[in-house]
Amino acid sequence: MTGRAYVVAKQAPRVEEKAIAESEVTLELERLQHALEKSERELQKILQLTEQKVGSQKAKIFEAQIMILSDGVLFDSIRKRVKKDLRSAEYVVHREISKYQQVMMNSADEYMRERAHDVEDVKNRVIRNIQQDKLISRFDESSIVISELLTPADTILFSRNEVLAYATDMGGVTSHAALLSRSLNIPSVVGLKEITKLVTTGDLIIVDGYSGTVIIHPTEATIARCNERKEEHLQFETRLKEIRDLTAQTTDGKIVQLCCNIEFSEEALNVHAQGSNGIGLYRTEGLFLRTENYPSEEEQFEEYKAVVEKARPHKVVMRTLDIGGDKVVSNTNSEENPFLGWRGIRVLLDMPDVFQTQLRAMLRASAFGEVWIMLPMISGVKEVRRAKESLEQAKKELRSKGIPFDENIRVGAMIEVPSAAVLAGEIAQETDFLSIGTNDLIQYLLAVDRGNENVSSLYQEFHPAVIKTIRFIIIEAHRAGKTVSMCGEMAGDPMAVLLLMGLGLDEFSMTPYVLPEIKKIIRSVSYQEAEEIARRVLEMKTEDDIKDFLRVNLHTMVPELLIE
Ligand code: PEP
Ligand code: MG
């Protein structure tokens, strides 16, 4: 994708003195109001979360911050100063609140000095919200967004405008922001370390999502070459349409299921467009990241029902909320090690209201098509049992109200924590299916943060330990008579397909746009060959050996693939 860069500064808000014209005052005051309301909504949500997690005593800080926001005298004087001094809202907020803060800092009372930090937090939150509002309206033209780091919430926010591509300093390819941009069909290259230093707003650049490269100030010849490659890819994709309605079946008759991973209800139509067998992972966090408060049961039900209706007659595997890690719903209190912290099923089991609301919404959607429920971040049997009890409670409530749902709804667990992999057999006995989440499983198994570009070379799909673990999970689940799917990015990696087939995986769920290529690979080989490949790979000791072997085999068996 070729376009002009727009560099987003994402550090602590920087504020410069900026004069505004009289005609801009109304808009400036509207922005201020909007930012105040947004800040309050954010703080209310954080307050609610904190209360549920650590109790109302600790949550008092946020109550105090909300009170500062509703200080009519302070904000009236800020509004007056914007009008009178003709200065930007963020500048006046910064100047006036800093004065107030200084008075508190100089106080002899320790309590007052402590409160000065809350004032600082409120000030930064309001300024950030004013600036974000301006940033959004600045995207009049389509741009390539360059930033240090993107959060999943930023990715959604920016994509309301015409974003041609993303390129970031930090982040890994399986970070949730990168996955989201894939879902939004926006090319992205992440973890470039210093792209924000090398590029200035307005520079012409190319972001090549196929090869993961960025070219700054490309020559005419480079642009032409990139366009040619893009054309080649498009032609290949057109050719793949011929097999869209065919089964994913090997030459010797073994059939596997190919499903789509989606984040938004709009994407559900891909199920048919890409010739898949359903939705193998519906990440429900999108809805929670888009709304500032937790979506109500009704809002969730409408969204889930829309997905089910679009995917019909195919199944939809809905995953219960997986916040935490790098997916933070507004600026909650941060944790030292978020990926090892309050995440996925742990959050839901601690917040029964949020869990019940979501389960009821999912159950209600199951009256309109085939829904399976999947639990994220399971680390042992006890969590599965507790989650199933919650599900029973939600069913009971709907039954008592006479609301229809699928009584036999299937419940599965994601296997993405090493302890769950070790207990795959036990967990399989308690559930209807397993789904391997390699994005997390790899990071936890190899102790490599999936979003940290400094260790990205150690994040290895083809690490022998990863492959042996996958094999173990499949064997254990099959022994318990259950099917195994994989919904991590590895399932959509052309290099991994033959190996995973050979290991006996039943279902592959992936970003929709790679599905036709994966189907092509499966239809080009025999199961016997895939088993032989898996057997050979299991004897290898390093990722390099495994990758070389798989690359050569893929090239020979499916020569028409365009592998980067
Ligand atoms: C995974 O961990 O592989 C997975 C599919 O879940 P997510 O990427 O949403 O964490
Ligand atoms: Mg995961």
Side-chain angles (χ1 to χ4, degrees):
M1 186 57 76
T2 312
R4 298 273 164 201
Y6 183 86
V7 183
V8 181
K10 266 232 84 188
Q11 304 89 353
R14 265 187 243 143
V15 183
E16 281 157 27
E17 178 165 1
K18 185 172 172 279
I20 56 167
E22 240 179 291
S23 57
E24 291 171 313
V25 168
T26 318
L27 184 60
E28 205 62 16
L29 290 178
E30 269 173 23
R31 277 190 175 133
L32 172 62
Q33 189 54 31
H34 189 235
L36 290 175
E37 286 165 12
K38 181 157 191 266
S39 304
E40 181 171 347
R41 283 195 300 272
E42 287 174 355
L43 282 168
Q44 291 286 7
K45 193 166 177 183
I46 296 170
L47 174 72
Q48 193 193 342
L49 262 173
T50 319
E51 272 177 353
Q52 304 213 23
K53 190 180 164 192
V54 287
S56 52
Q57 198 52 34
K58 291 249 167 51
K60 286 225 160 28
I61 326 168
F62 298 111
E63 264 172 27
Q65 294 195 7
I66 294 171
M67 278 187 34
I68 300 169
L69 269 183
S70 40
D71 183 338
V73 180
L74 174 66
F75 286 100
D76 274 350
S77 91
I78 288 175
R79 285 187 194 95
K80 282 198 194 113
R81 297 258 58 109
V82 171
K83 262 193 248 171
K84 191 149 177 291
D85 301 349
L86 294 179
R87 289 292 178 275
S88 69
E90 72 248 51
Y91 174 68
V92 180
V93 166
H94 178 71
R95 191 183 64 190
E96 296 302 308
I97 302 191
S98 298
K99 274 192 221 158
Y100 185 58
Q101 204 183 339
Q102 206 49 50
V103 174
M104 293 172 90
M105 290 288 257
N106 294 338
S107 160
D109 181 352
E110 198 191 323
Y111 177 78
M112 278 299 250
R113 289 201 304 273
E114 290 270 308
R115 294 283 71 76
H117 295 297
D118 291 337
V119 174
E120 164 96 21
D121 279 356
V122 172
K123 179 181 79 181
N124 287 341
R125 183 177 296 278
V126 173
I127 292 173
R128 245 193 330 262
N129 280 332
I130 299 173
Q131 292 181 338
Q132 206 164 47
D133 208 84
K134 290 192 174 170
L135 175 69
I136 295 303
S137 50
R138 228 176 282 154
F139 273 114
D140 293 338
E141 296 169 38
S142 43
S143 332
I144 294 179
V145 175
I146 309 289
S147 101
E148 280 182 0
L149 175 70
L150 278 177
T151 64
D154 291 334
T155 317
I156 295 185
L157 195 72
F158 294 148
S159 70
R160 290 183 198 154
N161 305 278
E162 202 187 326
V163 175
L164 297 177
Y166 290 113
T168 65
D169 287 343
M170 302 199 260
V173 281
T174 60
S175 66
H176 285 100
L179 298 181
L180 260 174
S181 79
R182 226 162 288 162
S183 271
L184 293 161
N185 226 345
I186 302 174
S188 71
V189 180
V190 298
L192 291 159
K193 295 205 167 95
E194 50 183 17
I195 186 82
T196 52
K197 293 203 190 85
L198 301 173
V199 173
T200 356
T201 295
D203 281 352
L204 186 67
I205 59 174
I206 296 178
V207 172
D208 183 344
Y210 297 118
S211 62
T213 47
V214 172
I215 302 166
I216 308 170
H217 302 306
T219 60
E220 287 293 326
T222 309
I223 297 178
R225 210 166 46 239
C226 281
N227 287 343
E228 255 169 47
R229 264 160 34 91
K230 196 165 146 191
E231 189 50 38
E232 258 173 43
H233 274 275
L234 290 175
Q235 281 175 10
F236 179 57
E237 278 158 27
T238 313
R239 288 200 298 279
L240 289 180
K241 288 213 171 79
E242 289 161 18
I243 58 167
R244 190 186 68 181
D245 299 321
L246 304 179
T247 317
Q249 182 173 23
T250 57
T251 51
D252 51 357
K254 161 100 175 165
I255 295 179
V256 290
Q257 303 293 302
L258 297 188
C259 293
C260 299
N261 290 353
I262 68 159
E263 316 251 352
F264 307 106
S265 60
E266 300 79 28
E267 289 178 279
L269 286 174
N270 278 317
V271 167
H272 313 287
Q274 303 292 61
S276 81
N277 301 102
I279 294 172
L281 167 63
Y282 169 28
R283 290 186 171 94
T284 55
E285 297 80 56
L287 181 60
F288 286 72
L289 292 170
R290 265 180 298 171
T291 45
E292 273 155 21
N293 293 311
Y294 286 112
S296 65
E297 180 179 326
E298 221 40 49
E299 274 174 282
Q300 291 188 52
F301 166 63
E302 286 304 331
E303 184 94 350
Y304 303 158
K305 178 168 156 248
V307 171
V308 170
E309 286 180 336
K310 287 194 180 100
R312 232 168 22 205
H314 300 292
K315 70 165 182 211
V316 179
V317 181
M318 293 189 184
R319 182 174 71 183
T320 57
L321 186 62
D322 184 21
I323 46 167
D326 60 350
K327 282 174 291 190
V328 185
V329 177
S330 73
N331 301 328
T332 5
N333 26 350
S334 49
E335 295 177 301
E336 286 275 335
N337 289 304
F339 272 120
L340 301 182
W342 203 48
R343 195 187 158 192
I345 197 71
R346 303 169 184 182
V347 175
L348 293 174
L349 293 175
D350 283 351
M351 300 194 12
D353 294 348
V354 176
F355 199 16
Q356 282 296 306
T357 309
Q358 185 171 41
L359 290 173
R360 283 196 303 273
M362 287 181 171
L363 283 169
R364 285 170 60 192
S366 73
F368 297 84
E370 189 175 345
V371 173
W372 299 12
I373 292 180
M374 182 158 78
L375 309 165
M377 274 295 285
I378 290 293
S379 62
V381 168
K382 191 168 164 193
E383 284 161 343
V384 174
R385 290 191 180 150
R386 287 186 60 200
K388 282 173 72 182
E389 280 163 21
S390 298
L391 182 65
E392 282 315 307
Q393 190 186 330
K395 283 182 176 176
K396 203 163 136 197
E397 183 162 345
L398 293 183
R399 248 179 242 127
S400 72
K401 292 186 179 144
I403 301 174
F405 64 91
D406 175 5
E407 283 282 353
N408 299 316
I409 195 158
R410 295 195 200 197
V411 185
M414 287 197 67
I415 303 295
E416 44 187 356
V417 177
S419 58
V422 173
L423 294 176
E426 287 81 348
I427 294 175
Q429 281 168 20
E430 309 262 336
T431 50
D432 299 306
F433 66 97
L434 299 185
S435 185
I436 309 175
T438 45
N439 304 342
D440 278 313
L441 185 60
I442 296 171
Q443 78 161 345
Y444 294 129
L445 195 62
L446 304 182
V448 179
D449 180 344
R450 65 195 264 188
N452 182 344
E453 67 289 348
N454 294 327
V455 285
S456 57
S457 63
L458 297 175
Y459 185 94
Q460 300 175 349
E461 262 177 17
F462 298 104
H463 191 294
V466 171
I467 293 161
K468 288 199 157 69
T469 307
I470 293 171
R471 172 171 178 258
F472 179 77
I473 299 167
I474 296 173
I475 291 176
E476 289 291 295
H478 285 171
R479 215 202 305 268
K482 306 294 161 60
T483 57
V484 193
S485 169
M486 178 181 286
C487 60
E489 288 302 286
M490 190 174 182
D493 180 348
M495 290 252 294
V497 186
L498 298 178
L499 167 65
L500 295 172
M501 281 278 303
L503 292 174
L505 191 70
D506 304 297
E507 178 181 298
F508 297 62
S509 192
M510 64 203 79
T511 315
Y513 78 90
V514 294
L515 196 141
E517 192 173 346
I518 300 297
K519 189 184 277 185
K520 170 86 193 158
I521 298 173
I522 291 171
R523 291 184 56 83
S524 311
V525 299
S526 71
Y527 186 51
Q528 222 183 352
E529 284 168 312
E531 279 186 314
E532 176 58 18
I533 285 177
R535 203 187 55 70
R536 297 275 304 276
V537 165
L538 284 165
E539 286 166 0
M540 296 180 183
K541 309 242 171 357
T542 68
E543 174 185 70
D544 292 342
D545 291 348
I546 296 173
K547 274 168 85 169
D548 289 345
F549 173 73
L550 290 175
R551 193 178 294 112
V552 170
N553 271 284
L554 190 57
H555 266 304
T556 12
M557 289 171 152
V558 203
E560 54 274 62
L561 288 189
L562 304 172
I563 303 174
E564 299 294 337

